[in-house]
Amino acid sequence: MGKLLVQKFGGTSLVDTKRLEAAADIIVKTISEGNSVAVVLSAMGVETDRLIDLAKAIHPEPNLREYDALVSTGEQISVALMAMALSKRNLKAKSYTAYQLGIQTNKRHGRARILDVKVEKLKKQIKKGVIPVITGFQGMNDEGDITTLGRGGSDTTGVAIAVALGADECQIFTDVDGVFTTDPRICSKARLLNQVSFEEMLELSSAGAKVLQLRAVEYARKNKMPIRVLSSFSESPGTLVEEIEEMERPVVSGISSLDNEAKLTIRGVPDLPGVAAKILSPISDSGIEVDVIVQNIGAENTTDFTFTVDQKDASSAEEILKNTSKSLGGGSIEMDDDIAKVSIVGRGMRGQSGIASKMFQVLADNEINILMITTSEIKISVVIQKDLMKKAVNALHDAFQLDKSLKA
Ligand code: ADP
Ligand code: ASP
Ligand code: MG
């Protein structure tokens, strides 16, 4: 029996009309195999970057309502073109924006969360044999203003539509064969994974594996929607991301890296209870997400406090810290965006000792200095100098033998 599938194509699969037509052929093939499909699209290629640059050329911190109105337009181009490409292939198709459908989000411009998806219209169209082609990345708030879901947010639209439709699977088409042990562009020995648990994918995505947006994985896990990551360039079977029952797992199953954060340090703050909250509260109150945090051992009743934020938030965070420093009687503020974070992830890490020390030893053997460390139950992350990121990823991939499958 045919399945109901959501097929999401990312910007890398839509760089030009030729690639867009190749994506249309994949949809045609899926339909010809007896399935029903709803399509979700990103903007073509680097269109979203171009739109963001345009906004920044007008104002370094543009009004967020207008920012969303602008950067959401890339997706509208894709869906209209795709509907044309599908009708050229004798299929019935209709493009839809988030507004036309009613993809309701909260108010948070630039990083909105999906609250509700109305699918009556979609269901009706699918029943009539029409392929809905939906803009990813966009939503609307309760005032009817356009919102966007954060970079990579079309993945989340794909999953949300799949959940609302009760689809069998959400297929995410991209420019690599699936989810690898690490970014195949950074490590040539990266190995394609057939299967990844939601839990591990959450950690990989949160640590920088942009192949799936973190929120898409969270949404899928919460609603038990399997995600299949596939290549739009090859016929690889891809990677199934789903709930996996406990079974033998490698200690480390993947490595993620990111180099778009900045490290901020406030020196010489009083070493007293409540200081961390005084430093971080104004940062989070202004909507800035803090990632790694380190408070150094105090000396002479003062301490240094360091944390990382997304680079785009670094200058606002620096301004806030300057004020905090004044009110706390603290010292200087330093900002460093020449950093990267490398994380090893694995469910098998749970209850195993010695993994962190092995990681640190590998880095030491490669003369890579660790600036910050943070751990969770199934993840260990280090912040290092940016130009050493590739070296670190490759060395760790070798040391934990990620190129070899457990079954091999
Ligand atoms: P799309 O345009 O399809 O949304 P993205 O650029 O957002 O594509 O995500 C795909 C990219 O994710 C790949 O090209 C790859 O460089 C990167 N990536 C990072 N980590 C991984 C990983 N573990 N497995 C696969 N790809 C990864
Ligand atoms: N076009 C948006 C971006 O570039 C959303 C996405 O690609 O998922 O971030
Ligand atoms: Mg993406």
Side-chain angles (χ1 to χ4, degrees):
M1 214 188 76
K3 289 183 172 166
L4 174 57
L5 300 170
V6 168
Q7 297 193 308
K8 177 259 168 180
F9 293 86
T12 53
S13 302
L14 304 167
V15 281
D16 51 27
T17 51
K18 198 164 152 247
R19 288 301 320 163
L20 188 138
E21 297 221 45
D25 289 335
I26 293 175
I27 299 165
V28 171
K29 182 162 179 280
T30 312
I31 297 277
S32 71
E33 288 165 355
N35 304 297
S36 303
V37 177
V39 177
V40 172
L41 299 182
S42 295
M44 295 171 78
V46 292
E47 176 69 1
T48 309
D49 293 322
R50 188 185 74 87
L51 295 168
I52 292 172
D53 288 347
L54 279 179
K56 298 262 150 124
I58 300 287
H59 197 292
E61 292 193 16
N63 172 288
L64 285 177
R65 179 184 184 278
E66 306 314 329
Y67 172 90
D68 277 349
L70 175 70
V71 302
S72 59
T73 58
E75 273 65 16
Q76 273 160 255
I77 297 174
S78 302
V79 291
L81 287 174
M82 181 60 84
M84 292 175 199
L86 290 171
S87 40
K88 188 166 95 178
R89 286 161 176 76
N90 296 318
L91 289 174
K92 287 185 274 180
K94 267 188 190 172
S95 67
Y96 290 99
T97 63
Y99 193 89
Q100 284 174 301
L101 276 188
I103 300 180
Q104 196 77 41
T105 70
N106 63 9
K107 288 193 191 334
R108 183 89 188 274
H109 282 292
R111 272 191 72 79
R113 272 185 191 271
I114 295 179
L115 301 175
D116 187 33
V117 182
K118 303 241 169 1
V119 277
E120 295 73 38
K121 214 184 245 176
L122 287 185
K123 282 190 174 156
K124 231 185 257 167
Q125 294 298 333
I126 293 172
K127 213 166 181 190
K128 285 201 285 186
V130 176
I131 305 170
V133 187
I134 305 150
T135 50
F137 186 50
Q138 305 183 352
M140 57 181 261
N141 63 20
D142 56 4
E143 282 166 40
D145 289 335
I146 296 171
T147 53
T148 60
L149 309 178
R151 298 308 306 266
S154 299
D155 296 336
T156 305
T157 310
V159 172
I161 297 281
V163 168
L165 281 175
D168 292 290
E169 186 172 285
C170 178
Q171 302 188 331
I172 304 279
F173 285 87
T174 186
D175 62 344
V176 290
D177 283 350
V179 180
F180 286 72
T181 47
T182 193
D183 188 341
R185 294 183 200 291
I186 294 182
C187 174
S188 58
K189 290 192 203 159
R191 179 170 52 86
L192 179 66
L193 300 166
N194 305 320
Q195 239 191 352
V196 184
S197 68
F198 280 134
E199 190 184 16
E200 273 167 331
M201 197 64 230
L202 276 180
E203 296 283 357
L204 286 170
S205 292
S206 78
K210 69 168 178 166
V211 62
L212 284 177
Q213 198 203 33
L214 174 61
R215 282 192 184 161
V217 187
E218 286 170 347
Y219 207 107
R221 182 186 203 188
K222 199 165 122 203
N223 295 284
K224 300 195 168 54
M225 174 56 60
I227 301 179
R228 195 181 298 273
V229 181
L230 293 157
S231 167
S232 62
F233 294 77
S234 76
E235 296 228 346
S236 161
T239 304
L240 190 59
V241 184
E242 60 179 348
E243 200 66 59
I244 299 174
E245 289 305 316
E246 233 17 273
M247 59 176 98
E248 208 193 332
R249 291 269 113 202
V251 175
V252 177
S253 49
I255 302 175
S256 286
S257 56
L258 55 81
D259 61 1
N260 60 350
E261 289 191 355
K263 179 164 76 73
L264 290 136
T265 301
I266 175 166
R267 296 220 179 267
V269 288
D271 193 10
L272 293 170
V275 164
K278 280 193 185 125
I279 295 171
L280 293 181
S281 301
I283 304 277
S284 55
D285 289 350
S286 71
I288 297 175
E289 281 179 32
V290 172
D291 186 14
V292 186
I293 304 169
V294 169
Q295 181 176 345
N296 294 337
I297 299 286
E300 288 172 19
N301 302 326
T302 66
T303 185
D304 297 342
F305 194 91
T306 306
F307 59 91
T308 64
V309 297
D310 199 289
Q311 264 170 23
K312 72 172 172 16
D313 297 322
S315 50
S316 321
E318 196 177 10
E319 281 313 304
I320 296 170
L321 273 191
K322 280 183 188 156
N323 289 330
T324 311
S325 182
K326 259 184 230 150
S327 67
L328 286 177
S332 61
I333 312 290
E334 282 156 36
M335 204 259 280
D336 178 5
D337 58 10
D338 213 14
I339 56 155
K341 190 175 81 167
V342 174
S343 309
I344 60 173
V345 172
R347 288 198 304 166
M349 219 182 262
R350 202 173 259 141
Q352 277 257 3
S353 61
I355 310 303
S357 51
K358 178 167 174 180
M359 179 185 195
F360 304 155
Q361 190 59 50
V362 171
L363 297 173
D365 293 346
N366 284 275
E367 284 169 25
I368 297 166
N369 190 30
I370 301 172
L371 307 173
M372 301 168 87
I373 298 171
T374 168
T375 63
S376 74
E377 207 184 359
I378 66 162
K379 181 173 72 185
I380 306 167
S381 308
V382 293
V383 174
I384 57 173
Q385 210 177 293
K386 189 184 284 193
D387 59 0
L388 298 172
M389 181 176 91
K390 191 169 177 180
K391 188 177 177 188
V393 169
N394 280 277
L396 291 166
H397 200 270
D398 279 344
F400 287 102
Q401 299 189 313
L402 294 189
D403 52 334
K404 298 193 182 73
S405 154
L406 252 196
K407 291 179 204 105

